[in-house]
Structures are given as C-alpha cells and as structure tokens.
Amino acid sequence: AGEELGDAPGRQAARDPHAPATGAGGAPMVPDTTAEVVKAYAPYGIIIVIFALANLGPVKSALGQAPWTTTFAWPGLNVFAAGSDTELASTTFTFNWLPAAGTLMIVAGLLTMLVLRISPGRALKAYVDTYRELKWAILTVMAVLALAYVLNQSGMTSHLGRLLAETGGFFAFLSPILGWIGVAVTGSDTSANALFGALQVQAAVNAGLDPVLLAAANSSGGVMGKMVSPQNLAIAAAAVGMAGREGELFRKVFGWSMLLLLLMCLIVVLQASPVLSWMVPGP
C-alpha cells in the first residue's frame, strides 16, 4: 500500500496536462528555437531551390549546351533500326555532368554543409559512409540499367510490348503492375522505368492506348512497390537501428502496397476511359 501511495503523485503528475514535458531520463524537454527549426528544414529547402532553378526554361536550356552537356557516339556500337540503315539514337551517349540529378544533389549538399556549419572532414565521412551503406543498391541499379539498355537495343522490349498489346484495353489495368514489379525487384523507379518504360509505350501504341498515360502508370505503380523492395527495406531498417527486422517491416507494409497498387490500377483504367481521360495531357 505504501508503494502504491508513493507512486500516486507520480501518476498524478503524468496525467497532469500542465506538468512540464520530460525527455529521456526524466530531464525537462527544451523546445526548439526558431533558428534550430530553420536549420533542420534547410537541407530540404536547398534541394527544392536548386532543382527548381535547374528546371527553369532558360537555365535548363543553358545547362543542356556545351560544356555542361556533351554528346558522343558510344564506341563499338553499330545498332540500326529494323529494316533501316538509320542508326539508333540511343547509341549516342549524353554526358550531362552538371545538370544531372546526382551533381545537383552534390551542390545542394555543399550548400547544406555551409548552412549547417559542418566541417569538410565530417561531411566527407558522411558521404563515404552513405556510399558504403548503399553500395549494393548502387550496383543493382547499374546492373538493371545495363540490362535495360541491352533489352532496348536488341529489340526484345518492342517484341514484349507487341505481345502485351494483345491484351487490348485490359493492359491499362496491367500497366501499373509492371511498374510495381520493376521497383519491387530493383528498388529503383529509375530502373523500373528503364526496364519497362519503352515496353509500356510500345504496348500502348499497339493496343490503341495513350503512351503518355501508360508511361506515367509505370512510374506511379512503381512508387507503390518502393515499400516492399528488399533493398529499400534493408536501407530503412539500417537507418533506424532495426537491422535484421526487414521481414517484420515487409509483413506490415505488404498489404498497404497491394491496396494502393489496386487503387492505382483502377485510376489508370478510368483515365484510359472517357470518365477521367481529361486528366491526361493531350499531344
């Protein structure tokens, strides 16, 4: 009874809405200052500003010119379109070293380092640690992009597109599922678009559907596969100290992934019909 009475004031204080908030170890929590909040959001604001500026018409046009962007024929490739003596445009490599998303992210990172007053040594360590953490994901994306290049150059993508086009209008329902599979396997929407983007467009043309809609459906369906991708689950678990519990995370999000994918499939079907066709931009 004595212990119970002794605990009562503590329980009463915990229920008191006017009691000061406490953190770990019972220490009082100090509210963040406005400057601290601004610093916390600064990296995201810098990224938004950098990418917004890079995509402005005049800036984008300037960055697409030499020396920021150069093009050259890739050595050893002599691939021509079927029944034509015209070489495929994809044999020409575009090296956009400055406007590339990765370079813009590095610029944003350097600006963030200055704003947050992070030393160059600490920033470099974080950069290297990130590469180490993502090394297998990076290797996977590189391999998938190489595979997609081979599929497109060899004509396998176009043949698969013609086969899928035989499903007719039902392909509008299948389109997001292809994107979901691509991201669930590779962990990257970029990789899924490289794998199935051309296939979606080819199938759309042959099935009499809107290529813009199905190309977008590939990306949209892929986003729903992000949460069940083994690579993304591993990275997320490691980031929050839950390494080894990827299976638990997968079980909790799989149902939501399926539900959102079904919803996306229904939206694409409606956008392929007169019901929501107004949502798809015209040529």
Side-chain angles (χ1 to χ4, degrees):
E3 291 177 0
E4 194 169 333
L5 288 173
D7 289 342
R11 290 199 300 272
Q12 184 177 359
R15 290 193 298 268
D16 186 358
H18 301 291
T22 57
M29 293 181 64
V30 179
D32 295 325
T33 64
T34 303
E36 289 172 335
V37 173
V38 171
K39 280 187 176 182
Y41 282 101
Y44 306 100
I46 291 172
I47 290 173
I48 292 172
V49 171
I50 291 293
F51 277 82
L53 290 176
N55 282 280
L56 291 176
V59 177
K60 188 174 183 179
S61 177
L63 292 177
Q65 310 272 336
W68 320 120
T69 299
T70 59
T71 59
F72 58 90
W74 194 264
L77 287 182
N78 295 283
V79 184
F80 300 88
S84 171
D85 58 356
T86 303
E87 197 165 13
L88 293 180
S90 54
T91 59
T92 300
F93 184 74
T94 300
F95 182 48
N96 53 341
W97 64 272
L98 183 57
T103 305
L104 296 179
M105 286 297 294
I106 291 177
V107 173
L110 293 174
L111 293 176
T112 299
M113 183 181 72
L114 296 176
V115 171
L116 300 184
R117 296 180 181 179
I118 298 174
S119 66
R122 186 179 174 190
L124 181 60
K125 182 180 183 302
Y127 190 74
V128 173
D129 288 344
T130 301
Y131 263 106
R132 287 175 178 168
E133 184 178 351
L134 300 179
K135 59 180 180 293
W136 297 117
I138 294 172
L139 182 62
T140 300
V141 171
M142 292 171 62
V144 170
L145 290 174
L147 174 63
Y149 194 87
V150 172
L151 290 175
N152 293 333
Q153 292 284 348
S154 66
M156 286 188 279
T157 296
S158 59
H159 281 287
L160 287 172
R162 284 194 288 270
L163 176 64
L164 291 171
E166 294 181 5
T167 60
F170 186 65
F171 185 66
F173 184 86
L174 299 177
S175 180
I177 298 176
L178 277 179
W180 184 93
I181 293 173
V183 175
V185 172
T186 66
S188 166
D189 215 355
T190 301
S191 300
N193 288 335
L195 273 176
F196 300 133
L199 184 151
Q200 298 266 22
V201 171
Q202 182 70 40
V205 171
N206 293 337
L209 298 169
D210 191 333
V212 173
L213 172 60
L214 297 197
N218 190 78
S219 291
S220 301
V223 172
M224 308 309 167
K226 277 274 188 181
M227 64 184 77
V228 296
S229 167
Q231 295 94 323
N232 290 331
L233 286 173
I235 293 170
V240 297
M242 294 179 62
R245 299 174 63 184
E246 293 82 0
E248 180 181 341
L249 293 176
F250 178 84
R251 288 191 296 272
K252 288 184 179 296
V253 301
F254 182 77
W256 291 105
S257 180
M258 291 290 96
L259 179 62
L260 292 172
L261 177 61
L262 176 61
L263 179 61
M264 183 55 61
C265 290
L266 295 177
I267 291 175
V268 173
V269 168
L270 292 176
Q271 289 177 326
S273 71
V275 179
L276 293 180
S277 59
W278 55 269
M279 296 180 67
V280 183

